[in-house]
Amino acid sequence: MTLMCCDSSSNGLTPVNTVRMVVDPTSPPLDLEIQLSSAADILRCGGLVAFPTETVYGLGANALDGQAVARVFVAKGRPQDNPLIVHIACLDDLQAVVAGVPDDALALARAFWPGPLTIVLPVRGGVAREVTAGGDTVAVRMPSHPVAMALIRAAGLPIAAPSANISGRPSPTRADHVWADLAGRIEMIVDGGPAGIGVESTVLDITSSPPLVLRPGGVPVEAIRNIMPDVCVLPQHGTGSAAEGGEQEGPARSPGLRHRHYAPRAPLWLFIGEWEDQVQAIACRARAEAEAGRVVGLLISTETAMTTSKASIPDTAVIAQTGSRGRMASVASGLFDAMRRLDSEGVDVMLAESYDTGGVGLAVMNRLVRSAGGRLVDMGRSGRK
Ligand code: AMP
Ligand code: MG
């Protein structure tokens, strides 16, 4: 067997040849493990492999190898104080990364694993300190995507994996997104088709009392509440708070919240209010932007696209549909891809619609508010615009 090893001494700045490998996620699990043996070799040798999960694409490294994990930070340009999620393939793997498994964690794992729930627990020695950013807790999840599962099994390691994008950019939901951001910086991209859910996992800290959702995600808070009635949610909305990515002093409950996130290249304005008001206000602002000579990108639902008459928006406007307001899962699934499409069209400004915060809508709105970085047009507050 040829061992595909990367130069693990590489600091991540030296360009590397990125191999793209297409796999069929519907293949039988054992076939997938065999197909992924070269990817697993790369991980075991300290290299970096991007792979699909059911949430977004992840950038994997051996969670027990500090040098490998350090390369993830360099490849992504990720701030070193932002810890990574460790991915495991079965409950037994949990013992290798956490110091103890409380009953609550087991109940959550039974209910939501494999799936998009990340649980923060006390860390066990052996996990690279780069993974936890030097902290005494580790975030763990068991992904349900067959390719992610097979890769972890084939590597026989816990895999530390943040989203496989340049830090601050919209998360990648397709292998093309990963290629655009990370080609030349990582050894391999495993292309298993589009990620399904489209927003990242829910991060739940159960080391605190009461347990706290640090980041809303693929598992709705309502579902966690069925198992843990006292769960709280770290405040996510409103302008200028740390939860929107503003600067924050002192230790953070969720270090990821300190940093700019999910931001497209063009400034994104988020419209908040009754749907009919949003539709009108977005069209009106689109015309004003076009008159000022700017190319406008509209990040809107299929319903809004159908309602907005051609006459009411400028000819130059580019529309990227997220999904259907009636099916929030489709909006979550299409959100980051739509943002990236508008970016690649080179729009000067993006105007985005907002959604109800029930179920996965909370995660969608969290991403949109953070993408906007404070550029909110709140018709509830400032009247109809
Ligand atoms: P991503 O960067 O997309 O992988 O998201 C990982 C998220 O999990 C970030 O917001 C991190 O700050 C958060 N996270 C990871 N490990 C921990 C931890 N030990 N404690 C609290 N939050 C964590
Ligand atoms: Mg990320």
Side-chain angles (χ1 to χ4, degrees), residues 78 82-85 120 137-139 162-163 203 214-215 253-256:
R78 184 179 175 98
N82 193 5
L84 308 183
I85 295 171
V120 175
T137 59
V138 64
S163 50
V203 178
L214 302 178
R215 173 180 75 182
R253 293 303 302 267
S254 181

Side-chain angles (χ1 to χ4, degrees), residues 88-97 142:
I88 57 173
C90 64
L91 262 186
D92 284 348
D93 295 349
L94 195 53
Q95 322 284 345
V97 289
M142 189 192 297

Side-chain angles (χ1 to χ4, degrees), residues 29-110:
L30 279 178
D31 286 2
L32 271 179
E33 277 186 50
I34 294 165
Q35 286 177 59
L36 290 167
S37 60
S38 57
D41 287 342
I42 292 172
L43 289 169
R44 279 193 296 266
C45 294
L48 307 185
V49 176
F51 59 97
T53 81
E54 77 278 22
T55 57
V56 301
Y57 270 71
L59 176 59
N62 176 359
L64 310 178
D65 176 346
Q67 271 191 4
V69 177
R71 283 192 58 214
V72 168
F73 286 83
V74 178
K76 279 180 59 86
R78 184 179 175 98
Q80 307 233 336
D81 62 353
N82 193 5
L84 308 183
I85 295 171
V86 175
H87 294 68
I88 57 173
C90 64
L91 262 186
D92 284 348
D93 295 349
L94 195 53
Q95 322 284 345
V97 289
V98 305
V101 185
D103 289 346
D104 278 353
L106 274 184
L108 289 164
R110 273 193 211 104

Side-chain angles (χ1 to χ4, degrees), residues 44-326:
R44 279 193 296 266
C45 294
L48 307 185
V49 176
F51 59 97
T53 81
E54 77 278 22
T55 57
V56 301
Y57 270 71
L59 176 59
N62 176 359
L64 310 178
D65 176 346
Q67 271 191 4
V69 177
R71 283 192 58 214
V72 168
F73 286 83
V74 178
K76 279 180 59 86
R78 184 179 175 98
Q80 307 233 336
D81 62 353
N82 193 5
L84 308 183
I85 295 171
V86 175
H87 294 68
I88 57 173
C90 64
L91 262 186
D92 284 348
D93 295 349
L94 195 53
Q95 322 284 345
V97 289
V98 305
V101 185
D103 289 346
D104 278 353
L106 274 184
L108 289 164
R110 273 193 211 104
F112 300 111
W113 282 0
L117 178 72
T118 295
I119 309 175
V120 175
L121 289 163
V123 69
R124 184 190 177 115
V127 173
R129 64 184 306 283
E130 288 80 358
V131 169
T132 63
D136 50 13
T137 59
V138 64
V140 194
R141 91 172 184 101
M142 189 192 297
S144 65
H145 196 290
V147 174
M149 277 277 190
L151 180 60
I152 302 166
R153 288 219 169 91
L157 293 166
I159 304 296
S163 50
N165 54 302
I166 293 287
S167 220
R169 298 260 302 128
S171 297
T173 55
R174 295 165 180 269
D176 282 346
H177 301 162
V178 183
W179 186 269
D181 279 16
L182 298 178
R185 294 168 179 243
I186 64 177
E187 279 73 24
M188 184 178 272
I189 298 172
V190 178
D191 179 351
I197 295 173
V199 290
E200 300 84 343
S201 60
T202 304
V203 178
L204 174 63
D205 185 353
I206 63 167
T207 66
S208 67
S209 182
L212 193 60
V213 170
L214 302 178
R215 173 180 75 182
V219 170
V221 175
E222 295 89 330
I224 298 173
R225 203 157 272 142
N226 288 334
I227 311 256
M228 284 189 151
D230 60 337
V231 71
C232 291
V233 182
L234 195 67
Q236 309 284 328
H237 289 142
T239 38
S241 87
E244 272 75 58
E247 289 307 308
Q248 193 186 42
E249 297 296 324
R253 293 303 302 267
S254 181
L257 299 181
R258 287 171 185 273
H259 304 290
R260 185 172 157 80
H261 236 103
Y262 316 119
R265 291 199 174 90
L268 181 149
W269 288 87
L270 178 62
F271 288 71
I272 294 171
E274 294 297 320
W275 178 55
E276 291 79 6
D277 296 343
Q278 289 188 48
V279 174
Q280 269 192 24
I282 288 175
C284 178
R285 176 69 176 269
R287 291 193 296 273
E289 293 287 350
E291 273 163 30
R294 286 185 281 273
V295 178
V296 188
L298 302 181
L299 192 70
I300 55 180
S301 63
T302 44
E303 288 85 349
T304 301
M306 277 161 55
T307 309
T308 310
S309 72
K310 279 222 163 72
S312 68
I313 54 163
D315 290 343
T316 51
V318 184
I319 294 180
Q321 294 185 27
T322 51
S324 162
R325 293 181 72 80

